[in-house]
Amino acid sequence: MTGSYPALSQTSSGEPLQPVALVDLLDRLLGAGVVISGDLTISLAGVDLVQVRLHALITSVRAEMVPE
Amino acid sequence: MSETGLYCYAITRGLDPAALEGSAGIAGAPLRLVEHGGLEAVVSEVDLAEFGEEGLRRNLEDLGWLESVATTHDAVARLASEQVPTAPLRLATVFLGADSVRARLGEWHDAASRALDRIEGRGEWSVKAYVDVDAQETPAAEQEPAEEMGAGRAYLLKRRAATQRREASAQAGAELAEEIHAALAGGTVLSRRLAPQDRRLTGHTGEMVLNGTYLVDASGVAAFKDLVARLASEHPRVRLEVGGPWPPYTFASLDPQ
């Protein structure tokens, strides 16, 4: 699923984030922030979010760098 | 939409619902507040097919999905944090209903209040330090011995010299990072070092030796930036990058004290 959600009108520039900005954001959103167990995020405790993030990002970076 | 849940972006204190008017959350769903005990949770409805356990596992691996959710999450946290003390939640905290949200707000009330006290009137700023590893190397002398000794030996010597240089350079980089971080931490409320970012992800040049994040009082931002500029001029080999303010992601955690 690749949803493309409208960001808030106040802050949306319509431009995709630069990779560095996305990494900065994920550094904080996945690594920090208040951890309150929601009804569903409890089940995510077993997922290593850092691995998820790196896997997703490296896959994407490689896809961009390697033409085939 | 089939079954829905409530995606929770942040906990706030004193946010006016009117502040959310005209703004949308994930998938364009309207933002609203769930209140309990003087605190509010900023939420919007999400599809549980997408944000349920299975959906989350699948979608967190999808960079496009992750980016759009992270960007929206950040935008909502910013909107709130520009107005009232705000403790942003981690990505993808989903509740089955408003009653669950209220129950959790009650449970975490004291810890959340302490976190909000801690970050009120303050913002999170990042400072990254890069050193250009190649610039420290002085390769002038290293190619000469090749004519006098065997090529194999020359190669090994060259390799060893390069390794030693890298080690010395990494050591120097680590010391520099520590010095800069200590100077910045001294002038800020709270500080933390995040893991340096992988160049494969960011495409930055040089070696990131510091990925620091600092909680800075609103009245101290100018002084903080001056300090960064001064450190940059004192250490010409280092490139410093300052970013912010972020919603206080790193410093609003609920420590159970």
Side-chain angles (χ1 to χ4, degrees), chain B residues 63 144 184 195 243:
Chain B
L63 187 65
E144 288 164 19
L184 291 171

Side-chain angles (χ1 to χ4, degrees), chain B residues 9-27:
Chain B
Y9 301 86
I11 298 173
T12 59
R13 187 167 59 201
L15 187 60
D16 184 348
L20 301 176
E21 276 172 27
S23 300
I26 290 164

Side-chain angles (χ1 to χ4, degrees), chain B residues 87-176:
Chain B
L89 266 62
R90 250 189 213 194
L91 197 77
T93 305
V94 182
F95 294 88
L96 294 176
D99 287 344
S100 302
V101 178
R102 273 188 287 269
R104 208 68 67 165
L105 279 180
E107 192 179 316
W108 290 98
H109 180 274
D110 293 351
S113 298
R114 278 195 301 271
L116 291 167
D117 287 344
R118 186 164 60 232
I119 53 85
E120 182 164 14
R122 296 163 173 166
E124 179 168 342
W125 291 78
S126 88
V127 176
K128 294 183 219 159
Y130 304 88
V131 293
D132 186 353
V133 181
D134 297 334
Q136 298 171 54
E137 299 186 0
T138 46
E142 75 184 38
Q143 264 123 8
E144 288 164 19
E147 293 161 22
E148 290 154 34
M149 64 182 79
R153 180 150 184 261
Y155 173 76
L156 289 176
L157 282 178
K158 199 171 151 187
R159 279 280 299 272
R160 195 171 65 187
T163 304
Q164 285 167 347
R165 263 200 317 276
R166 266 199 305 278
E167 282 169 359
S169 152
Q171 174 69 19
E175 283 168 11
L176 213 47

Side-chain angles (χ1 to χ4, degrees), chain B residues 53-256:
Chain B
E53 178 175 356
E54 250 184 68
L56 278 178
R57 278 181 195 281
R58 186 180 62 242
N59 289 327
L60 282 168
E61 299 277 352
D62 177 341
L63 187 65
W65 185 93
L66 190 60
E67 175 168 355
S68 82
V69 170
T71 307
T72 308
H73 186 111
D74 183 57
V76 175
R78 275 173 200 273
L79 173 67
S81 69
E82 282 162 8
Q83 308 190 49
V84 296
T86 298
L89 266 62
R90 250 189 213 194
L91 197 77
T93 305
V94 182
F95 294 88
L96 294 176
D99 287 344
S100 302
V101 178
R102 273 188 287 269
R104 208 68 67 165
L105 279 180
E107 192 179 316
W108 290 98
H109 180 274
D110 293 351
S113 298
R114 278 195 301 271
L116 291 167
D117 287 344
R118 186 164 60 232
I119 53 85
E120 182 164 14
R122 296 163 173 166
E124 179 168 342
W125 291 78
S126 88
V127 176
K128 294 183 219 159
Y130 304 88
V131 293
D132 186 353
V133 181
D134 297 334
Q136 298 171 54
E137 299 186 0
T138 46
E142 75 184 38
Q143 264 123 8
E144 288 164 19
E147 293 161 22
E148 290 154 34
M149 64 182 79
R153 180 150 184 261
Y155 173 76
L156 289 176
L157 282 178
K158 199 171 151 187
R159 279 280 299 272
R160 195 171 65 187
T163 304
Q164 285 167 347
R165 263 200 317 276
R166 266 199 305 278
E167 282 169 359
S169 152
Q171 174 69 19
E175 283 168 11
L176 213 47
E178 187 51 49
E179 188 186 331
I180 290 168
H181 176 69
L184 291 171
T188 54
V189 183
L190 286 168
S191 63
R192 191 172 301 173
R193 288 180 72 167
L194 308 177
Q197 293 166 350
D198 192 318
R199 196 177 333 189
R200 285 173 299 173
L201 304 182
T202 61
H204 63 256
T205 55
E207 170 97 30
M208 187 186 295
V209 292
L210 173 65
N211 183 14
T213 195
Y214 307 87
L215 186 64
V216 182
D217 208 274
S219 65
V221 169
F224 181 71
K225 287 181 176 172
D226 286 348
L227 178 57
V228 173
R230 189 162 60 78
L231 288 166
S233 66
E234 282 171 9
H235 302 284
R237 273 183 39 238
V238 184
R239 185 158 51 86
L240 291 180
E241 232 176 54
V242 59
W246 292 87
Y249 291 111
T250 306
F251 302 107
S253 56
L254 308 187
D255 40 10

